[in-house]
Each structure stands twice: as C-alpha cells, then as structure tokens.
Amino acid sequence: MKPARFDYHAPTTVEEAIALLARYGGEAKLLAGGQSLMPLMNFRLARPAALIDLNVIPGLAYIHEDDGQLQFGAMTRQRTIEFSSLVRRRLPLLAEATALVGHLPIRTRGTIGGSIAHADPSAEYPAMLTALDGSVVARGPRGERMLTPAELFQSYLSTSLGPDEILVEVRLPAMPAGAGFAFEEFSRRHGDFAIVGIAAMVVAAEGQRCTSARLATAGAGPVPTRLRAAEEILEREGLSEPVIEAAARRAAELVEPDSDIHASAAYRKNLTRVLTARALRRAVARMGGR
Ligand SMILES: Cc1cc2nc3c(=O)[nH]c(=O)nc-3n(C[C@H](O)[C@H](O)[C@H](O)COP(=O)(O)OP(=O)(O)OC[C@H]3O[C@@H](n4cnc5c(N)ncnc54)[C@H](O)[C@@H]3O)c2cc1C
C-alpha cells in the first residue's frame, strides 16, 4: 500500500514547525518515528495534506533529571529510554514497560512524544504517564502549557492538543527509592499491543504498611485510567494477599472497557483483575530492592 500524495516539510526549529501547522489549518501531521502514522497513511486511514518532520529539529531528544523529575524531549526514541541508566535507576517501571513496546525496530524509531500524542489506549507510555503522575508540555503559537494525563487524553486516539500545538516534553517524577513496581500485560503475540496492561507501584513503611499505591490501566477503556479506589484499599489495609485480591476485584469494577475484535468487555474486565493481582504481587516482592 502507498500513502496518498502529501507535501513534505523538514523544519529546523519548533517555531517553524508550529507556523507550518498553522498554515495547513489542521490538515498537516507531525512526523516523529512514523511507527503509527506511516501504517495509517499506507492504509489510507490518514490522508494528511502535509507531513511536518520533527526529525531534523535539534534539541528535541534528551533525558534530563531536574529536582526529582525526569524530563524527556518529545523525540527521545523508545530504545534510548529502554537502555538509559538514569531511567533504570530513577524510573525502573518505565524501563520495564518500554521493553514491551512492539519490537526492537519499532522502539529504535518510535518516540515517547509520538506514542503519547497518538494516545492509543493500549499503549504502554500513556499508561506510564498516568501511573507515574506525569505531565506533558505543549508548545503552540500562544506559548507553552502543561497538561496532566486527565487533561490530555480524551478518548481513543484523541487528545486535547490543538492542531497547531506540538508536544515538546514529557515530565515524570522519579520513583521513590525502595518502591516496588511491575508492569503486567497480556497480548496475543510477543510485540503486539496489550489487550490489557496494568502498571503498579507500591511504597511501604514499617513492614507491610502501604504509604502510597499507584495502579493504572492500558487497554481497559478509551483512555488510560488511574484506579484510585483500588489504590485506597492498599493504602488503608496493607499489602497482604487477601488485600491484594480485594484491590484487584475493585480494579475490575472500576474499568469500563469496550468490546472489539480482540476481546470482549467482560474478558478485559477479568484481565484487569488477574493482571492487577499479578502486578501487585510482583511489586510487593520487589519492595526495597533498589
Ligand atoms: C507492528 C507495530 C507494533 C507496535 N506495538 C506497539 C506496542 O506494543 N505498544 C506501543 O505503545 N506502541 C506500539 N507500536 C507503536 C509505536 O510505539 C509508535 O512508535 C508510537 O505509537 C508512535 O510513536 P512515533 O514516534 O512512531 O510517532 P508517529 O507515528 O510519527 O506519530 C504518531 C502520531 O502522533 C503525532 N505526533 C508525533 N509526535 C508528536 C509531537 N511531538 N507532538 C504532537 N503530535 C505528535 C503524529 O502527527 C501522529 O498523529 C507499534 C507499532 C507497530 C508498527
């Protein structure tokens, strides 16, 4: 399959890219790693009038730590994140989830900004942004604004980014030392998108008392979701096996998945329960291990 005709631009600054977006009035698409956009164009499910290539703009790919927060330039490749020693040390949950994004060639080209802007609810990075309480920085003709996951993700493949805005940075607070973590997902074949994925992080003091729990979904609804009521069970009642089971049952009640060709809504709910328990058990076993 070949894409429909399109104009091609390779701006060298973000400002130039924003001006081009404005010039095409919502009919242009930004090109990052191309790993989602190009298949859509080849199947003619997307027919942008123009591609605005972000790949030659310098300074959009970096990983910095500033005041307990990791900052990722939007064009940072997934593979760079997977092998970053800083990410492994400060955000091991992200390192674990990144290894599950597609296959090696996809991660070599795919970017963190592209994955989050694409907003596939089954993707790992939107779930990471949600689980880790992150935010994104969007830049447009009126300057920069910061968006939380709840403000950014609107529905399947849909965000609140304006047609003339570029996601320029992803910010994720570093995980507390000693936090237990796990990302569990179920997919039919290695490298496929998850049917459901669950990110878990637990922090405990004095043995089993849980001071903070995080649970977030991928693939269990139109947007990634924090499972706050399930987290509260863990924070209130601890991290014993019966409490983990109770939190997992609550997690399944909280999600509202749709049925599609891959799985029914009921199956996805059941997966949410099973994977939440699995992720929590692995997270608890890892606590204090960093
Ligand atoms: C076979 C296959 C399997 C895959 N499996 C998985 C998987 O298991 N998990 C997973 O998460 N992903 C998977 N992917 C998708 C992959 O992770 C993509 O890299 C990612 O979804 C998009 O990132 P990209 O950099 O390639 O963006 P692109 O494809 O270039 O762009 C995607 C969309 O985001 C927009 N965009 C890109 N960058 C920006 C920006 N900075 N600001 C605003 N908008 C922007 C584009 O205009 C486009 O609409 C798979 C892809 C393939 C082909």
Side-chain angles (χ1 to χ4, degrees):
M1 298 288 283
K2 289 203 165 58
R5 281 182 66 85
F6 57 87
D7 299 343
Y8 174 80
H9 299 276
T12 52
T13 64
V14 171
E15 288 63 35
E16 208 186 319
I18 291 168
L20 281 163
L21 282 174
R23 195 213 292 174
Y24 280 92
E27 296 300 317
K29 284 266 179 208
L30 296 167
L31 175 66
Q35 299 303 298
S36 295
L37 182 57
M38 294 319 296
L40 286 174
M41 288 175 63
N42 287 343
F43 283 114
R44 302 206 173 193
L45 296 168
R47 290 166 171 257
L51 285 189
I52 300 168
D53 192 344
L54 296 177
N55 284 272
V56 292
I57 299 179
L60 273 182
Y62 54 83
I63 308 177
H64 297 150
E65 181 170 5
D66 182 29
D67 199 17
Q69 186 181 63
L70 269 69
Q71 301 167 344
F72 299 82
M75 287 298 289
T76 309
R77 309 285 169 187
Q78 294 152 4
R79 181 125 177 100
T80 307
I81 294 169
E82 184 179 359
F83 288 100
S84 157
S85 57
L86 179 62
V87 171
R88 285 188 180 191
R89 213 164 5 98
R90 304 291 276 148
L91 285 172
L93 178 62
L94 180 67
E96 178 164 307
T98 302
L100 298 172
V101 175
H103 306 274
L104 175 70
I106 291 159
R107 298 196 292 274
T108 303
R109 292 300 301 165
T111 65
I112 187 169
S115 177
I116 289 174
H118 190 57
D120 189 315
S122 298
E124 287 80 4
Y125 280 174
M128 284 298 109
L129 192 72
T130 306
L132 293 165
D133 255 346
S135 55
V136 299
V137 180
R139 196 183 301 169
R142 290 161 299 283
E144 283 193 349
R145 62 187 182 125
M146 227 175 71
L147 297 159
T148 63
E151 290 163 343
L152 179 70
F153 299 119
Q154 295 192 318
S155 187
Y156 293 100
L157 308 181
S158 166
T159 70
S160 56
L161 289 174
D164 52 3
E165 278 186 312
I166 299 179
L167 191 164
V168 289
E169 188 172 274
V170 178
R171 296 180 177 170
L172 299 171
M175 290 163 59
F181 63 92
F183 188 79
E184 284 283 343
E185 70 175 39
F186 178 75
S187 56
R188 288 199 191 283
R189 297 171 308 184
H190 168 72
D192 280 4
F193 274 98
I195 291 180
V196 171
I198 299 287
M201 182 172 86
V202 286
V203 183
E206 303 148 28
Q208 287 290 84
R209 200 173 77 78
C210 175
T211 51
S212 162
R214 303 272 183 80
L215 289 167
T217 63
V223 292
T225 308
R226 267 293 282 281
L227 302 170
R228 190 64 202 123
E231 295 171 355
E232 281 167 2
I233 294 175
L234 300 161
E235 289 166 0
R236 204 172 47 238
E237 298 174 35
L239 297 168
S240 65
E241 183 57 28
V243 178
I244 287 176
E245 286 289 343
R249 281 194 301 276
R250 189 78 185 98
E253 288 165 6
L254 293 171
V255 296
E256 291 178 1
D258 293 312
S259 297
D260 61 19
I261 53 164
H262 302 295
S264 67
Y267 185 71
R268 283 195 156 93
K269 261 188 180 288
N270 193 46
L271 266 184
T272 301
R273 180 184 61 76
V274 171
L275 296 177
T276 299
R278 222 177 260 175
L280 281 171
R281 280 187 208 112
R282 214 151 56 77
V284 170
R286 263 176 172 165
M287 273 185 329
R290 283 198 295 145

